[in-house]
Amino acid sequence: MSLSRSPSPVLGGGWASPGLNLPSSGRSSPSKGHPGSNGTPVMWESARMKNTGASGYPSFSTQNQGFLSKHMRKISSSLPRFNANQYVEKDKALGGRWSAKNVPLLGRLKGILARMGRKMKIRLLMVLLFILAMIIFFNSPLIYYWRRISWLGGGEKFVIILAANVGGGVMEWKGAREWAIERDSVKNKKKYAARWGYNLEIIDMSTKKRYAHEWRESWEKVDFIRTSFRKYPKAEWVWWLDLNTFVMEPSYSLQDHIFNQLGKTTYRDINEYNPLNITHPVTDNYLDEASKSPVGDGNPNSINMLLSQDCSGFNLGSFFVRRSTWTDRLLDVWWDPVAYEQKHMEWEHKEQDALEQLYIAQPWIRKHTAFLPQRKVNSFPTGACGDHGYDPRFHYNSRDRDFLVNMAGCEWGRDCWGEMYNFRELSYYLNRNPWERFKEDLVAVIWFKLTGQKVKL
């Protein structure tokens, strides 16, 4: 449809669009002289408002004109208004019923996890799995087998021999105290051996005629050491312990305490401490250089026997023997029945005096024997070797956390059970874990101050 045929939307002619009728636009109404038209161009409403001197508001007026506009404003102003602070104060007045404190713990954890990134979740999961693995590892038999394997912990290389039931049933009847000493000593060694994966051999030292021609008490140590080497073919060292001994520091392994630094923890020249006044070294011309040297060949790997010395000489309440050809020869000579028959009435300390005699008379024994400071593996209570009071060379010191205490000679005028009980309680006190320290040093003390009653948690 052409424009010439389109009727004007305005009565009287002309177009409603002012742009079509303005002379400046180049356009005009298709019918200038349409009948009924006065020839006046039609302008936009906005232009008309400007020309008529309106107040400058846009064409959509927001002035309060008209009935509905005025009354809608009155109605809206009379409605209640929302105030956020009012609800916060009300929430506090109601005790925080809708606060985050009342959100369940599971909900809080879900919220925290939801806000975490993927990488953070993976890291957290790995940490939790590691902690769980450590808990399972250290609270299961896995740690025992880990510490036993020779190329890991190396526990199977050590055998602990504990002499039990000494003289039982023949020398004297065992009473409640004797049974209590044996029970505590055996329990202590079992716990220590299980912790580090060591082999434990508890032997019966009751006095009886094991051999056809003699009683031979105390010399049985030699026989039991030989038997243990046969029973445990992977064992490298045998550790002999008397019954009246107690491991005070179960957290010390033999490897870390002694054998990983054997050259530093031992001395081979007996002149460093020589209560027996043994002439050392031997200087006979027929001997080799290692036998004439005060320290043997100086190689820690050639040490085959470890023992300590107390105030009177060698002490065999705690000593070590290594599997070797040298050890087999030593055990044969030490067990020699001829020497036993000739000297057992003269040797007051029996197998201990026999070993001292062999050390003095046989140079080949000296060059493979080393000594440990007594407090390293064989501390004494103050009553033993106590003629001159406390001696730092022999006597146990809790500040230095000595490894083992040997209540040697307690049956001669001292209270064996009293000493065993005191050292057992002291060991427990020194080796408490943080939770036990918290209960006993804080909770129990507060309870005692409040109630006046002692409680053992």
Side-chain angles (χ1 to χ4, degrees):
M1 182 172 62
S2 66
L3 292 174
S4 60
R5 296 186 179 210
S6 299
S8 175
V10 181
L11 295 177
W15 292 95
S17 176
L20 298 176
N21 299 311
L22 291 175
S24 61
S25 65
R27 296 181 183 183
S28 61
S29 173
S31 179
K32 293 183 178 181
H34 191 274
S37 171
N38 54 10
T40 304
V42 180
M43 294 182 293
W44 293 104
E45 186 68 21
S46 60
R48 183 183 298 165
M49 293 295 293
K50 287 182 180 180
N51 293 334
T52 56
S55 59
Y57 286 100
S59 60
F60 180 77
S61 177
T62 59
Q63 292 179 330
N64 294 330
Q65 299 176 359
F67 177 81
L68 289 176
S69 298
K70 294 180 179 179
H71 286 277
M72 286 297 293
R73 180 171 291 279
K74 291 181 180 180
I75 293 172
S76 62
S77 63
S78 64
L79 292 174
R81 296 186 179 185
F82 177 78
N83 187 355
N85 295 329
Q86 176 184 358
Y87 286 92
V88 171
E89 296 297 331
K90 183 177 180 181
D91 183 61
K92 291 182 179 179
L94 293 174
R97 184 173 56 185
W98 299 103
S99 64
K101 293 182 179 179
N102 291 328
V103 178
L105 179 60
L106 184 60
R108 294 184 197 176
L109 294 176
K110 287 182 178 180
I112 294 173
L113 291 174
R115 290 191 294 270
M116 284 185 180
R118 182 179 179 183
K119 290 184 177 179
M120 183 59 68
K121 289 180 181 179
I122 294 175
R123 292 172 185 170
L124 180 61
L125 180 62
M126 293 177 65
V127 171
L128 293 176
L129 289 176
F130 177 77
I131 295 174
L132 180 62
M134 290 297 100
I135 293 174
I136 295 175
F137 181 75
F138 285 100
N139 292 276
S140 69
L142 292 175
I143 184 65
Y144 172 79
Y145 293 107
W146 173 278
R147 289 173 172 170
R148 272 191 62 81
I149 299 174
S150 58
W151 51 276
L152 290 175
E156 63 181 359
K157 295 181 180 180
F158 299 90
V159 179
I160 301 174
I161 301 179
L162 177 64
N165 198 27
V166 179
V170 176
M171 303 300 294
E172 60 180 351
W173 290 105
K174 294 175 66 173
R177 287 175 171 264
E178 287 75 18
W179 284 114
I181 292 171
E182 184 166 323
R183 180 186 64 246
D184 285 352
S185 181
V186 171
K187 183 179 179 180
N188 174 250
K189 309 310 183 298
K190 283 183 176 180
K191 186 176 180 181
Y192 180 73
R195 177 167 186 166
W196 295 107
Y198 302 144
N199 301 295
L200 177 62
E201 189 73 11
I202 302 174
I203 59 173
D204 184 8
M205 293 288 289
S206 58
T207 303
K208 57 185 178 182
K209 193 173 182 180
R210 274 195 183 82
Y211 312 100
H213 59 288
E214 60 213 357
W215 291 92
R216 204 157 189 174
E217 60 276 6
S218 293
W219 262 267
E220 293 171 333
K221 288 182 180 179
V222 179
D223 194 25
F224 287 128
I225 291 172
R226 196 196 306 273
T227 303
S228 297
F229 277 128
R230 288 197 298 264
K231 184 175 180 179
Y232 300 97
K234 295 183 180 180
E236 183 178 354
W237 287 93
V238 164
W239 183 22
W240 177 276
L241 288 176
D242 284 350
L243 183 65
N244 291 332
T245 57
F246 200 89
V247 178
M248 297 296 292
E249 298 296 331
S251 61
Y252 296 177
S253 69
L254 294 177
Q255 296 94 312
D256 293 337
H257 188 55
I258 300 173
F259 293 98
N260 288 347
Q261 45 188 352
L262 197 58
K264 297 180 180 180
T265 57
T266 61
Y267 63 94
R268 302 176 76 166
D269 186 359
I270 196 174
N271 293 316
E272 291 190 21
Y273 178 65
N274 194 356
L276 298 174
N277 295 320
I278 298 174
T279 302
H280 184 77
V282 181
T283 58
D284 295 336
N285 294 329
Y286 63 88
L287 297 174
D288 60 357
E289 294 301 323
S291 299
K292 291 189 288 184
S293 171
V295 295
D297 60 2
N299 184 5
N301 294 324
S302 67
I303 298 174
N304 292 318
M305 188 172 193
L306 289 170
L307 67 154
S308 61
Q309 297 185 92
D310 57 27
C311 54
S312 60
F314 292 5
N315 187 285
L316 298 181
S318 171
F319 69 98
F320 297 88
V321 179
R322 188 178 199 168
R323 183 193 296 273
S324 65
T325 305
W326 179 92
T327 300
D328 292 336
R329 291 176 59 195
L330 174 66
L331 295 178
D332 287 340
V333 176
W334 200 358
W335 183 251
D336 184 12
V338 176
Y340 172 80
E341 288 291 342
Q342 292 178 353
K343 295 290 186 177
H344 75 279
M345 298 300 294
E346 300 178 15
W347 288 335
E348 181 182 0
H349 297 99
K350 303 172 185 177
E351 83 293 349
Q352 189 167 286
D353 290 342
L355 182 62
E356 291 174 353
Q357 181 62 36
L358 291 173
Y359 184 88
I360 294 171
Q362 302 293 335
W364 62 272
I365 293 178
R366 297 191 188 194
K367 64 180 182 180
H368 292 284
T369 303
F371 300 93
L372 289 161
Q374 179 160 353
R375 287 177 52 196
K376 195 76 174 176
V377 292
N378 203 18
S379 298
F380 277 0
T382 308
C385 287
D387 296 339
H388 303 287
Y390 175 81
D391 192 325
R393 294 175 300 178
F394 314 126
H395 296 145
Y396 175 82
N397 190 330
S398 59
R399 293 182 180 178
D400 294 337
R401 307 295 291 265
D402 291 348
F403 174 50
L404 179 136
V405 63
N406 179 9
M407 289 147 276
C410 64
E411 62 273 11
W412 307 104
R414 305 202 322 264
D415 184 3
C416 293
W417 165 241
E419 291 183 1
M420 176 69 75
Y421 175 81
N422 290 332
F423 281 113
R424 183 193 70 187
E425 294 299 310
L426 179 60
S427 175
Y428 168 76
Y429 179 81
L430 294 175
N431 292 280
R432 293 176 299 167
N433 58 41
W435 172 243
E436 291 169 339
R437 292 176 184 271
F438 171 76
K439 292 191 299 180
E440 297 175 4
D441 294 346
L442 183 62
V443 178
V445 172
I446 294 175
W447 180 262
F448 176 74
K449 290 183 177 180
L450 293 175
T451 64
Q453 298 178 352
K454 292 184 178 181
V455 60
K456 189 172 183 180
L457 301 175

